[in-house]
Amino acid sequence: MHSVRAFLSPDNPLGFGLSDFVELLAASLLAAFFLLRAAWRKPFEKLAAKTGWCMLVLAALPVLLRLALLPHNAEPVPAGADDFGYLLLADTLRHFRLANPPHALPQFFEQIFVLQQPTRSAMFPLGQGLVLAFGWMLFGHPWAGVLLSMGALSALCYWMLRAWTSPNWALAGGLLTAFQFGPLCYWMNCYWGGAVSACAGCLVFGALPRIFDRDQETVGKRRRNAALLGLGLGLQLLTRPYEFFLLLGGVGLFLGMEWGKRREWRRQVFALIPVTALVAGSAGVLMLLQNKQVTGKWSTLPVQLYRYRYGIPATFTWQANAVPHGALNSEQDLDYRTEVAVHGPDLDTPRAYWERLVFRARFYRFFLLAPLYLALLAFLTLLRQRRLIWALATIVLFSLGSNFFPYFYPHYIAAVTCLFVLASVAGLQRLNQLRIGGGWPQVGTLLLFFCALHFVFWYGVHALGTAKVSYALARYETWDYINQGDPQGRVAVDRRLEHAGGEHLVFVRYAPQHRFQEWIKNGADIDGAPVVWAHDLGATENEKLRRYYPKRMAWLLQPDAAPPKLTPYLAEPKLFEDVQ
């Protein structure tokens, strides 16, 4: 009955019902596809043939698109423990050191994911911090490093695909990368990253086939690609150490596959191993230096020491829950109990592992726009090709390996991002080989067109729509994430302190209902910072810090008020003020 009513003409100038508008939209999109395909085909092919220009355009595209959104969506406001931890790491590197000396009163500066002893350092590996520090030093803001890493990902994904497919489809894959993981992706709208590990995968999976292909058989080109292979492995080691071994496993599968096929090149390829090992080993040395500087031991990772001290992050599912070796404040205790609950009290079982693996299948939508699921079906028909079987096996290897984490975020397996793009592109290319009625092949190109429309629509909503429109449509926007304003009121607090002038000491007093919003966010040089953020430990304890900073104006911040309440600090103890 409802479908019949939809065809009845309602009261509008055209006399259209809902189904009429749907039909008109579908017809308009198909007409636009054929018109644009004819207009853009030759320019697209000319650009695709120019590798250098393609990489430059693809590197600039996501950056320019995100910068164009700044009037509506400003740069991300650091708003969580991960953000502040990576920013501390970047600031430490900006000071040309790998660790910071401990503070004389460390109890005031405890924050999630940051060690206080034996050094005051973030628990994270160096990769993302190096990128943030580079952007910070070059452009004066750490987010510049995020933008640069995303531009590099789009360009490198095209470069990787050039070793696997035609120039046209490599450019199409680069554009898909810019759309899927660019301005509307959390990789570009926070400080955690994801693009750095994805770049590492592009370097590895782009270098491997070039080492074995005949048109790359000159000694110079092989050495260059061996060095790029080592660079990708080293970058992954510095960004995601556990997934480095999964990536190394993927490399081993590729070498095993090609070893018997290219017997005449075994000696030449074997001679390249020292080049790869030297480049990747340099990253290993840097990681060992960080271990020594942060933890005091060459063999102890910062995250290992942090887990020993605070009980988090959660252990692998085959391990028992970690036990904190020290007192936890209320925020740390809440975080510890939450991660223990996610891990569960028992060790993993095959059934639990399988159920977790099936449940997480939905999260792989992050790597694929909806039309590309049809391309994946076509990709499955190509699995007679040895290298494509290897690509699928490597994705499966990462899926199985990451399933030992209690948590899952897409950036955990970012190294295989380009393999998802490869599978999509190969499937689209296969669909384009199907001729409908003897005409021009275009099914794959049509799906690519719909992917572009998907991005253009949601990008237009954020670029042109009002806040009311964005809010109304947010429930329908799957898997996109872009920062919207300052919902926690952090910018207003920072601006008030800045306008007050001078140096400040802010005591942060959490409400009893406070949950998972970190406000302690000091940089590498606490004593030299304009604002020092410290826990409110009570009037007696706070007086110690006030005597340590006698020239700073003291404030009390209650971040759980709505909006956050910042008032001059009173030395006399007061009962906690109720927040609205």
Side-chain angles (χ1 to χ4, degrees):
M1 188 66 182
H2 290 290
S3 59
V4 173
R5 290 176 180 173
F7 279 95
L8 298 178
S9 299
D11 186 18
N12 64 65
L14 294 177
F16 274 24
L18 176 62
S19 59
D20 297 313
F21 284 110
V22 171
E23 291 172 11
L24 179 61
L25 176 62
S28 300
L29 292 178
L30 288 174
F33 165 71
F34 287 107
L35 291 174
L36 290 174
R37 182 176 181 273
W40 286 96
R41 183 176 180 179
K42 289 185 178 180
F44 186 89
E45 291 176 349
K46 288 182 180 180
L47 176 61
K50 300 176 181 178
T51 302
W53 279 105
C54 275
M55 294 187 69
L56 182 61
V57 169
L58 289 171
L61 181 62
V63 176
L64 294 177
L65 286 173
R66 182 59 183 90
L67 292 178
L69 292 177
L70 288 179
H72 290 83
N73 303 95
E75 71 276 6
V77 177
D82 294 84
D83 284 340
F84 295 134
Y86 278 114
L87 289 174
L88 172 59
L89 175 59
D91 197 24
T92 303
L93 295 171
R94 275 204 316 149
H95 286 76
F96 299 100
R97 56 179 183 247
L98 296 174
N100 304 299
H103 197 274
L105 298 169
Q107 66 272 24
F108 287 97
F109 306 109
E110 293 281 3
Q111 66 182 96
I112 303 297
F113 301 148
V114 174
L115 286 162
Q116 300 298 327
Q117 297 290 343
T119 61
R120 195 177 67 84
S121 306
M123 72 167 195
F124 299 115
L126 291 172
Q128 181 70 10
L130 286 169
V131 170
L132 295 177
F134 178 76
W136 206 339
M137 295 172 68
L138 197 61
F139 295 100
H141 198 289
W143 189 49
V146 178
L147 296 177
L148 292 174
S149 66
M150 188 58 234
L153 172 58
S154 297
L156 287 174
C157 194
Y158 162 81
W159 174 83
M160 174 265 182
L161 290 171
R162 287 289 279 111
W164 291 83
T165 187
S166 67
N168 286 356
W169 285 107
L171 178 55
L175 291 172
L176 279 176
T177 303
F179 295 158
Q180 182 75 0
F181 311 107
L184 304 183
C185 177
Y186 83 87
W187 287 1
M188 207 171 191
N189 291 289
C190 71
Y191 297 90
W192 305 10
V196 179
S197 179
C199 286
C202 289
L203 290 170
V204 169
F205 301 135
L208 280 173
R210 285 177 167 88
I211 291 174
F212 283 91
D213 284 348
R214 294 184 183 276
D215 60 352
Q216 299 286 336
E217 61 184 5
T218 64
V219 175
K221 288 183 177 180
R222 288 186 182 281
R223 286 179 177 172
R224 181 195 64 188
N225 290 316
L228 291 175
L229 174 61
L231 179 61
L233 290 172
L235 189 59
Q236 179 73 355
L237 178 63
L238 291 177
T239 307
R240 301 287 310 177
Y242 171 71
E243 287 81 3
F244 162 79
F245 293 101
L246 300 180
L247 186 59
L248 198 61
V251 172
L253 289 176
F254 190 93
L255 294 178
M257 174 187 67
E258 294 287 342
W259 207 246
K261 183 180 178 182
R262 308 284 190 182
R263 294 182 180 180
E264 70 275 16
W265 291 343
R266 287 183 182 180
R267 184 176 301 175
Q268 298 179 41
V269 173
F270 186 77
L272 298 175
I273 292 178
V275 178
T276 300
L278 179 63
V279 177
S282 300
V285 170
L286 188 57
M287 183 183 72
L288 293 176
L289 287 173
Q290 185 197 23
N291 293 349
K292 179 63 174 177
Q293 291 292 311
V294 173
T295 70
K297 295 182 179 180
W298 296 98
S299 60
T300 302
L301 295 170
V303 66
Q304 290 177 300
L305 181 59
Y306 188 86
R307 181 182 288 122
Y308 176 84
R309 169 64 179 81
Y310 300 99
I312 57 174
T315 55
F316 290 104
T317 56
W318 73 73
Q319 298 173 312
N321 280 302
V323 177
H325 290 75
L328 305 180
N329 62 30
S330 58
E331 290 74 39
Q332 292 165 339
D333 181 64
L334 176 63
D335 201 29
Y336 171 70
R337 288 187 286 110
T338 300
E339 298 218 14
V340 166
V342 172
H343 180 284
D346 302 319
L347 300 183
D348 213 359
T349 64
R351 179 178 179 180
Y353 178 89
W354 171 252
E355 290 176 349
R356 188 167 58 251
L357 186 67
V358 172
F359 176 80
R360 289 179 178 180
R362 68 196 67 189
F363 296 119
Y364 291 88
R365 165 62 179 82
F366 175 87
F367 297 96
L368 299 163
L369 292 172
L372 297 179
Y373 277 79
L374 296 177
L376 280 187
L377 294 177
F379 169 76
L380 295 178
T381 67
L382 299 172
L383 291 182
R384 290 169 294 181
Q385 300 179 29
R386 182 182 301 189
R387 287 188 176 181
L388 293 183
I389 294 175
W390 165 83
L392 180 60
T394 302
I395 292 175
V396 171
L397 174 64
F398 269 76
S399 300
L400 296 176
S402 65
N403 201 47
F404 290 108
F405 279 127
Y407 287 89
F408 178 81
Y409 290 96
H411 62 268
Y412 290 1
I413 60 170
V416 291
T417 298
C418 59
L419 295 185
F420 280 104
V421 179
L422 171 63
S424 301
V425 165
L428 292 173
Q429 189 174 14
R430 179 71 181 94
L431 289 172
N432 251 19
Q433 294 170 355
L434 301 176
R435 294 182 179 271
I436 301 176
W440 288 100
Q442 52 200 7
V443 176
T445 307
L446 180 61
L447 293 181
L448 188 64
F449 175 71
F450 278 114
C451 290
L453 285 180
H454 172 99
F455 172 76
V456 169
F457 175 80
W458 288 111
Y459 183 85
V461 168
H462 291 288
L464 304 175
T466 63
K468 186 176 182 180
V469 170
S470 297
Y471 179 79
L473 293 177
R475 71 182 70 181
Y476 307 109
E477 188 175 12
T478 55
W479 293 99
D480 288 339
Y481 171 82
I482 188 167
N483 46 291
Q484 302 280 352
D486 179 31
Q488 298 178 15
R490 295 175 184 269
V491 173
V493 172
D494 291 339
R495 286 177 178 172
R496 183 176 176 188
L497 293 170
E498 182 181 354
H499 292 160
E503 296 184 334
H504 307 277
L505 171 61
V506 180
F507 288 104
V508 178
R509 179 183 294 173
Y510 292 129
Q513 70 270 22
H514 181 80
R515 295 291 185 274
F516 306 118
Q517 292 183 1
E518 184 66 80
W519 281 78
I520 307 301
K521 51 177 182 177
N522 297 293
D525 182 13
I526 294 183
D527 293 346
V531 181
V532 173
W533 303 82
H535 286 284
D536 172 28
L537 300 182
T540 302
E541 286 295 307
N542 291 351
E543 197 59 30
K544 297 178 182 178
L545 196 59
R546 294 190 67 189
R547 288 196 298 269
Y548 187 88
Y549 295 118
K551 296 182 180 180
R552 290 181 179 268
M553 180 176 180
W555 299 82
L556 176 66
L557 173 65
Q558 295 172 262
D560 299 300
K565 186 175 182 180
L566 181 68
T567 57
Y569 178 80
L570 300 177
E572 296 79 10
K574 294 182 65 176
L575 294 176
F576 183 84
E577 298 179 23
D578 293 333
V579 297
Q580 300 298 324

